[in-house]
Amino acid sequence: MCIRDRLKAVWNITEKYIPEVYKEEIKGRADALGIDFIDEAILSVLLMRHNFHRGCFGFAAWGNATVDGKLYHAHSNDWSLIRRSLFDPVTHTYAYQHQVLIVRKPANGYASVSIGTNGGIEAEAGMNEKGICITFNTGFHPTNDTTIKGIPVGIRNVMVLDSAKNSQEAIDILTSNRTTGWNFILSDGNERAGYILEQTANYSYVGRWNDTIEDNYPSWMMEDVVRRGNIFLNYEAPGINRSVYENSSFIRLILSILHLTKEKSFYLPILHYKVVSEEIEKQYGTLDLNNSIKLLRKVYSGRTNFVFFLFQRIIHCFYAESWDQKVFCPETGDIAISFAKKGITAYRTPVHYFNLYELLNSKPSS
């Protein structure tokens, strides 16, 4: 069965869980593009079958962690530009080249800005006019605790942006109709607070910076900061326990690569988590819109940790490429973002600045 047929089969099951308004939006997009409904629809369920190759890191900082006490929500969307990316044989372009900044003004919802591709209903990240920000990462886990009987993560993110006026409403949306392994960073600019959500089909954890779980290895509490990469910190997650992480040494990684052990190694995502966390700690109290995106660019350029640099830039197999990197300030509506382009990863392209409210008041060009 080809990938299109597999995704069509996923859609035929998943569509029962998707609110009608989003199916209508998919139909409208398909009509506008002059393509079949099913071809537009399967783009909306793609991540239900493709999330295990995705990296990413997100954090939210506020209060004592930032220059002015305001909340800043940062995220790096780490995914291969070419090797595992979708390729369009007609235009000879890859999916990352079709990323867009989307301004939404739903008739019966809240206005927002989000990042996605120009196809399918999805929000890879976003911020709405009520000060709610959302980003997500793959959550690696040793068991296959997944289901297609739920709402795809990209659509759930759109639902948050369209419908949530506070963090609790957003949490209710994100923890319902779960599908597979994801980590979310959710933040509320009005509340000046951030939340971590870990989930699989049958597991869900919602935490804050001072929950005891945030002190589980390989993490440590950081006041007024929440962050996640691709690991679960709650040992109640399917297949996770302390020994799984503690035994994820460099040696076990090599043995795993050489197929000399069946034991999984989380060495690389653990290293990634530690390296970014250590830089956040170094920059603690100085974070704002510019310094937050500079932090991501510095870490991903390999300038803070030699081992990270070795895997990422020399071996080129570990968080080496980013589709985009961005920072939101929900209190002001400001956005700093860089997009990958023409084979150049996002942390090496120029940073662009936008404001949610200016975008909402602007008129589309003819």
Side-chain angles (χ1 to χ4, degrees):
M1 184 183 293
C2 69
I3 184 63
R4 182 181 182 276
D5 289 339
R6 290 201 297 270
L7 289 171
K8 182 178 178 180
V10 171
W11 170 260
N12 289 337
I13 295 173
T14 300
E15 69 166 325
K16 303 179 182 67
Y17 300 87
I18 297 174
E20 195 63 33
V21 64
Y22 297 107
K23 287 188 277 189
E24 291 175 2
E25 185 172 342
I26 292 171
K27 185 179 185 304
R29 290 186 180 218
D31 290 345
L33 292 170
I35 63 175
D36 291 340
F37 171 84
I38 189 59
D39 289 328
E40 178 69 13
I42 61 177
L43 290 172
S44 303
V45 299
L46 181 62
L47 287 178
M48 298 180 80
R49 303 286 293 189
H50 196 58
N51 78 317
F52 294 106
H53 297 307
R54 197 179 182 97
C56 309
F57 191 98
F59 72 87
W62 64 94
N64 291 326
T66 65
V67 168
D68 49 15
K70 293 177 182 175
L71 187 147
Y72 297 93
H73 188 133
H75 185 254
S76 182
N77 179 15
D78 308 330
W79 205 357
S80 171
L81 300 185
I82 295 175
R83 283 180 298 157
R84 294 191 177 107
S85 186
L86 295 177
F87 178 73
D88 184 348
V90 177
T91 62
H92 300 284
T93 55
Y94 290 91
Y96 76 88
Q97 295 173 279
H98 297 273
Q99 291 183 102
V100 288
L101 201 63
I102 302 166
V103 179
R104 290 177 65 87
K105 294 182 180 180
N108 297 305
Y110 303 120
S112 66
V113 62
S114 61
I115 295 104
T117 53
N118 54 359
I121 304 296
E122 62 169 5
E124 178 262 310
M127 171 176 65
N128 75 9
E129 63 179 320
K130 293 299 181 180
I132 298 298
C133 296
I134 183 69
T135 56
F136 70 98
N137 320 313
T138 296
F140 297 137
H141 52 96
T143 58
N144 189 28
D145 184 25
T146 67
T147 181
I148 56 177
K149 296 180 178 180
I151 300 176
V153 64
I155 294 180
R156 272 188 289 153
N157 280 358
V158 174
M159 291 169 63
V160 166
L161 298 174
D162 286 353
S163 306
K165 65 178 179 292
N166 56 50
S167 57
Q168 188 55 58
E169 290 184 357
I171 289 168
D172 290 343
I173 292 169
L174 292 173
T175 54
S176 301
N177 295 291
R178 301 185 303 274
T179 55
T180 187
W182 299 106
N183 287 327
F184 297 86
I185 296 294
L186 168 71
S187 64
D188 186 332
N190 295 310
E191 188 183 347
R192 283 192 178 176
Y195 298 83
I196 309 110
L197 290 84
E198 300 177 352
Q199 60 183 235
T200 62
N202 296 293
Y203 154 77
S204 179
Y205 160 71
V206 180
R208 302 185 70 165
W209 74 264
N210 55 352
D211 286 345
T212 56
I213 285 171
E214 299 309 304
D215 253 345
N216 283 352
Y217 179 85
S219 184
W220 61 97
M221 286 185 192
M222 202 179 297
E223 183 181 359
D224 297 341
V225 176
V226 292
R227 76 265 192 212
R228 268 309 179 276
N230 308 117
I231 58 174
F232 289 166
L233 291 181
N234 187 353
Y235 297 153
E236 294 180 4
I240 296 295
N241 57 62
R242 187 181 182 90
S243 65
V244 171
Y245 286 160
E246 290 182 337
N247 293 332
S248 291
S249 64
F250 176 77
I251 298 299
R252 176 161 289 181
L253 172 66
I254 299 302
L255 293 174
S256 178
I257 292 173
L258 297 175
H259 303 289
L260 297 176
T261 179
K262 293 183 179 180
E263 297 293 330
K264 290 183 178 292
S265 175
F266 287 82
Y267 177 81
L268 294 180
I270 286 173
L271 176 64
H272 176 234
Y273 182 84
K274 287 182 175 180
V275 169
V276 186
S277 295
E278 287 167 358
E279 190 61 25
I280 294 172
E281 201 165 50
K282 288 179 183 178
Q283 301 293 333
Y284 192 88
T286 71
L287 295 173
D288 57 14
L289 195 76
N290 282 321
N291 286 343
S292 295
I293 200 160
K294 285 179 181 178
L295 182 154
L296 290 176
R297 292 165 73 86
K298 182 179 180 181
V299 170
Y300 278 79
S301 295
R303 289 182 282 154
T304 66
N305 184 282
F306 177 73
V307 178
F308 184 85
F309 172 80
L310 179 67
F311 278 102
Q312 188 216 36
R313 304 309 308 161
I314 297 178
I315 303 176
H316 204 76
C317 68
F318 172 51
Y319 301 98
E321 297 169 333
S322 300
W323 280 29
D324 65 74
Q325 293 187 329
K326 62 276 186 189
V327 180
F328 302 106
C329 181
E331 296 180 56
T332 63
D334 289 324
I335 307 159
I337 186 166
S338 60
F339 288 106
K341 61 178 183 180
K342 295 181 180 179
I344 303 173
T345 188
Y347 51 85
R348 298 191 181 280
T349 60
V351 177
H352 303 280
Y353 294 88
F354 301 93
N355 182 275
L356 169 63
Y357 304 105
E358 291 178 1
L359 291 172
L360 291 174
N361 292 323
S362 63
K363 296 181 179 180
S365 57
S366 56

